């Protein structure tokens, strides 16, 4: 069992020595390559290339950061523009509500004007009927007065044809009384005629006023219809402009969203590239450290082996 263990240890020692020899040779080759790389301008070019690539990556990172800041600024500006558009839309909505209120008020005023016009028409018809009735009454009173005058004239004729038995004084008194009655009747007739004429003039004036009011109401109605048509046209124009602005803002928002997504993808790509570069650099550093450790280990082993070989055989 001890001989087997010694044989195993000898095999392991031989493998270890072969490995050490191989590593020494490889170390010599690597040392020569390192010396050549240090001595040749290729190492400097590689280091310059590495530094240049690192500088380019840093510049790309700075450029990406600046683009990110620019995109954030554009996003903030777009948000402000969206807020302005929202406030403008709210103002236009308020203007539309105000226009609707004015339109409803105009419609109410129009209905009131129509009702007033109908009332004026009915009042004019009523006044015409009253004038016709007054004219009929006037004609009837005129006919009655004509009949009274005829009866008075007949009575005068009868008095004129009366016998001589009557005394002249009584006839004169009777004629005086009759003339006074006739004058009073004439004055009454004139007064009534003047009153009827005054009432007729008043009715005509009321009729003319009603006609003028009707014309003014029609003019106001036409003005209100024109204002209503103008408000409808303005409403259509505002709706069209609002729809157009909404479409434009939606298109701009979609464009900015696509730009933001592209920038975000580019940012992620640059982040991945930078992480890959940093990982490669870390691996290079670890490789360099491992190579340094292996060189130090090989050097120690060589020194130990040389020391062991220099010792005397005893």
């Amino acid at each position: 069992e001890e001989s087997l263990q010694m044989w195993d240890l000898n095999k392991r020692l031989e493998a270890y020595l072969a490995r050490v020899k191989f590593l020494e040779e490889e170390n010599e080759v690597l040392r020569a390559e390192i010396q050549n790389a240090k001595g040749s301008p290729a190492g400097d070019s590689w280091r310059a290339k590495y530094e240049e690539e690192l500088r380019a990556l840093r510049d790309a990172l700075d450029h990406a950061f600046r683009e990110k800041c620019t995109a954030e600024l554009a996003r903030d500006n777009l948000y402000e523009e969206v807020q302005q558009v929202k406030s403008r839309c709210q103002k236009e909505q308020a203007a539309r509500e105000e226009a609707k209120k004015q339109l409803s008020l105009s419609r109410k005023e129009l209905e009131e004007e129509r009702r007033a016009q109908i009332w004026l028409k009915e009042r004019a018809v009523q006044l015409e009927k009253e004038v016709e009735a007054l004219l009929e009454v006037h004609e009837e009173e005129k006919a009655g007065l004509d009949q009274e005058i005829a009866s008075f004239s007949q009575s005068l004729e009868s008095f004129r044809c009366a016998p001589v038995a009557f005394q002249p004084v009584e006839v004169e008194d009777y004629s005086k009384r009759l003339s006074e009655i006739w004058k009073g009747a004439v004055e009454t007739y004139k007064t009534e005629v003047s009153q009827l004429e005054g009432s007729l003039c008043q009715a005509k004036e009321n009729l003319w006023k009603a006609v003028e009011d009707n014309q003014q109401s029609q003019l106001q109605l036409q003005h209100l219809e024109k204002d209503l048509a103008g408000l409808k046209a303005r409403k259509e124009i505002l709706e069209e402009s609002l729809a157009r602005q909404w479409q434009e803002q939606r298109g701009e928002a979609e464009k900015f969203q696509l730009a933001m997504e592209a920038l975000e993808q580019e940012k992620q790509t640059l982040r991945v590239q930078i992480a890959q570069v940093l990982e490669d650099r870390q691996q290079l550093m670890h490789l360099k450290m491992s190579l340094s450790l292996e060189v130090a280990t090989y050097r120690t082993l060589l020194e130990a082996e040389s020391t062991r070989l220099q010792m005397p055989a005893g």
Side-chain angles (χ1 to χ4, degrees), residues 124-269:
V125 172
Q126 186 178 1
L127 289 172
E128 288 177 356
K129 290 180 180 180
E130 289 179 359
V131 169
E132 290 177 358
L134 289 173
L135 289 173
E136 290 177 358
V137 171
H138 177 67
E139 292 294 333
E140 290 176 357
E141 290 180 354
K142 185 178 179 182
L145 290 173
D146 290 335
Q147 290 178 1
E148 288 179 359
I149 290 168
S151 63
F152 277 124
S153 64
Q154 289 177 3
S155 62
L156 287 173
E157 290 293 333
S158 64
F159 279 121
R160 288 177 185 176
C161 297
V164 189
F166 293 100
Q167 294 180 2
V169 179
E170 293 177 358
V171 172
E172 290 177 359
D173 293 334
Y174 187 75
S175 64
K176 287 180 181 180
R177 290 175 63 188
L178 187 60
S179 63
E180 290 175 359
I181 291 168
W182 174 255
K183 288 179 180 179
V186 170
E187 292 294 332
T188 304
Y189 176 73
K190 288 181 179 180
T191 305
E192 290 179 355
V193 169
S194 63
Q195 289 178 358
L196 289 172
E197 288 177 353
S199 63
L200 182 62
C201 292
Q202 186 68 31
K204 286 181 179 180
E205 289 179 358
N206 292 328
L207 182 61
W208 280 109
K209 287 182 180 179
V211 171
E212 289 179 355
D213 293 335
N214 189 9
Q215 291 178 356
Q216 290 179 359
S217 300
Q218 289 180 357
L219 291 174
Q220 289 179 0
L221 180 62
Q222 291 177 359
H223 287 301
L224 290 173
E225 288 178 352
K226 288 181 181 179
D227 293 336
L228 180 62
L231 289 173
K232 286 182 179 179
R234 185 179 177 186
K235 179 184 176 183
E236 292 177 356
I237 292 169
L238 288 174
E239 288 178 352
E240 290 177 358
S241 63
L242 182 62
R244 187 171 59 254
Q245 287 178 1
W246 271 111
Q247 291 293 331
E248 291 177 356
Q249 291 296 326
R250 186 176 296 174
E252 290 179 358
E254 290 177 355
K255 289 180 181 178
F256 278 111
Q257 186 67 27
L258 292 173
M260 288 292 293
E261 290 177 358
L263 289 173
E264 191 67 26
Q265 290 178 359
E266 189 176 357
K267 178 183 174 183
Q268 293 294 332
T269 306

Side-chain angles (χ1 to χ4, degrees), residues 304-312:
E305 188 67 19
S306 64
T307 303
R308 185 178 64 83
L309 293 173
Q310 289 176 4
M311 289 177 65

Side-chain angles (χ1 to χ4, degrees), residues 96-119:
R96 287 177 63 186
E97 294 293 333
E98 186 68 23
K100 287 181 180 179
K101 289 180 181 179
Q102 291 181 0
L103 182 60
S104 62
L105 292 173
S106 301
R107 286 178 179 174
K108 289 181 181 179
E109 291 179 358
L110 182 61
E111 291 294 332
E112 290 178 358
E113 291 293 333
R114 286 178 180 174
R115 291 175 183 175
Q117 185 178 2
I118 293 169
W119 181 81

Side-chain angles (χ1 to χ4, degrees), residues 4-20:
L4 290 174
Q5 288 180 358
M6 290 297 292
W7 182 75
D8 188 14
L9 288 173
N10 289 325
K11 290 291 183 182
R12 290 174 63 185
L13 181 61
E14 288 178 358
Y16 177 73
L17 291 174
R19 177 67 177 168
V20 168

Side-chain angles (χ1 to χ4, degrees), residues 65-113:
F65 183 74
R66 286 195 296 272
E67 287 183 352
K68 179 185 176 183
C69 294
T70 306
E72 289 178 354
L73 183 62
R75 183 190 62 188
D76 295 335
N77 294 328
L78 181 62
Y79 181 75
E80 291 179 357
E81 290 179 359
V82 170
Q83 292 296 326
Q84 291 178 1
V85 170
K86 285 183 179 179
S87 63
R88 192 182 302 169
C89 291
Q90 290 176 359
K91 289 180 181 178
E92 289 180 356
Q93 187 70 23
R96 287 177 63 186
E97 294 293 333
E98 186 68 23
K100 287 181 180 179
K101 289 180 181 179
Q102 291 181 0
L103 182 60
S104 62
L105 292 173
S106 301
R107 286 178 179 174
K108 289 181 181 179
E109 291 179 358
L110 182 61
E111 291 294 332
E112 290 178 358
E113 291 293 333

